[in-house]
Amino acid sequence: PKMILNEVDMVFAHTAVGGLLSLLMSKKLTIHLDWHGVWEEEFRMQHPSSKHLPQLIRYIEKKILSRANSISVVTEEMREYLGEKYKLDFEKIVIAPNGYEKTVEGSNENNRAYDDLIDEVTECVKNKHVILYAGGSQSWQGLDRLYAASKIIQNSSVDYVVVICGVSKKLNVEGCVIEVPRVPQYILFEIMKLANLFVIPRPLTIVNQVAMPTKLVEYASVGRAILSTPIGATSRMVMENNLGIV
């Protein structure tokens, strides 16, 4: 509301939606933009046949980033890429990497609702080497690679199981792949503790070269090794912090 905006000096805008709203605000307001990705490139990956919308998104993205008085991004690679692409003042772009904060557990009643799921997954992975992925199913996540790899290791002499969290509506078991539905974070961490190895199977694209997925710090907080494809900022942080292999 205009009445509220008249009483503030600074607005904190989060990613694309917040940035769009910031374009409508008075130029007297100081805008800090929290930017977590490369909007145009993500859209192109999700909609490769689209011709005109990416150009519109590029125009809007440039307006948003140019309007901001300061911008926080998650990696040095993202700072360099956006700064060069849109000819931004590098002095106004700061790096604020993703972190991890443990979420508050739900009520006892909610916890009991997930007990059966945790027990089922625990039974499925019993006495097996567990490779776990947690995250979304967008095209830049590389899940096609993970499913293809699971078919190869299914014939391995080692008893592997691949647990994929957050991509199905219910628990599915097919071959050596176990698909787990999206669950609250505190429940996900209970399932993640079952893993021997975490994976980040993303392909080498500009979307992934500049990103720092939240799953990286979530994986690290559990204390298991991380296997990452060589994709830029993420794999660099895996190597620099001795978190696993690339």
Side-chain angles (χ1 to χ4, degrees):
K2 290 184 177 180
M3 183 176 67
I4 296 177
L5 292 178
N6 287 335
E7 297 177 359
V8 300
D9 299 313
M10 180 177 180
V11 173
F12 182 90
H14 182 65
T15 62
V17 175
L20 278 170
L21 292 176
S22 73
L23 293 179
L24 306 176
M25 297 176 183
S26 169
K27 291 186 177 181
K28 295 180 180 180
L29 282 173
T30 298
I31 305 295
H32 176 77
L33 183 62
D34 183 28
W35 202 254
H36 283 237
V38 282
W39 190 15
E40 178 195 351
E41 290 79 357
E42 289 173 3
F43 185 87
R44 287 185 184 276
M45 287 195 70
Q46 290 287 73
H47 308 278
S49 61
S50 180
K51 295 182 179 180
H52 302 298
L53 275 177
Q55 297 174 19
L56 176 61
I57 289 173
R58 182 188 182 95
Y59 174 79
I60 296 173
E61 186 175 48
K62 181 178 181 179
K63 285 289 186 181
I64 292 172
L65 294 168
S66 300
R67 165 67 179 88
N69 299 91
S70 60
I71 306 166
S72 58
V73 297
V74 293
T75 65
E76 177 63 36
E77 288 83 348
M78 187 176 294
R79 179 178 182 269
E80 293 293 326
Y81 181 73
L82 290 175
E84 290 291 340
K85 179 180 179 180
Y86 294 121
K87 308 303 180 186
L88 303 173
D89 179 5
F90 282 93
E91 291 296 320
K92 76 174 186 178
I93 310 175
V94 298
I95 302 168
N98 287 330
Y100 160 67
E101 181 177 359
K102 185 176 180 181
T103 56
V104 178
E105 296 187 2
S107 66
N108 289 334
E109 182 178 348
N110 288 335
N111 287 341
R112 286 193 296 270
Y114 291 108
D115 282 347
D116 289 344
L117 175 63
I118 295 173
D119 289 343
E120 285 184 74
V121 176
T122 302
E123 184 61 30
C124 288
V125 305
K126 188 176 180 180
N127 299 322
K128 300 180 186 294
H129 295 276
V130 181
I131 301 170
L132 189 142
Y133 166 88
S137 56
Q138 300 96 329
S139 56
W140 59 80
Q141 298 286 0
L143 283 180
D144 54 335
R145 295 173 169 215
L146 186 55
Y147 282 107
S150 69
K151 293 180 180 179
I152 297 174
I153 65 174
Q154 187 171 352
N155 300 319
S156 170
S157 58
V158 180
D159 201 2
Y160 288 107
V161 63
V162 180
V163 178
I164 302 177
C165 302
V167 299
S168 65
K169 294 183 178 180
K170 62 179 182 178
L171 183 68
N172 295 318
V173 180
E174 184 174 345
C176 69
V177 176
I178 301 171
E179 295 179 333
V180 179
R182 185 177 295 276
V183 294
Q185 190 185 52
Y186 65 93
I187 298 298
L188 174 61
F189 272 83
E190 292 301 313
I191 296 173
M192 288 170 65
K193 291 175 184 177
L194 300 171
N196 301 106
L197 176 71
F198 294 121
V199 290
I200 301 176
R202 296 183 170 199
L204 182 59
T205 66
I206 189 61
V207 171
N208 292 324
Q209 282 180 293
V210 303
M212 179 186 176
T214 306
K215 65 172 65 66
L216 176 62
V217 288
E218 292 177 338
Y219 287 169
S221 71
V222 179
R224 307 288 193 275
I226 300 169
L227 174 63
S228 172
T229 48
I231 52 173
T234 298
S235 51
R236 172 177 60 78
M237 283 182 267
V238 169
M239 296 298 290
E240 288 179 355
N241 296 283
N242 197 29
L243 298 175
I245 58 175
V246 174

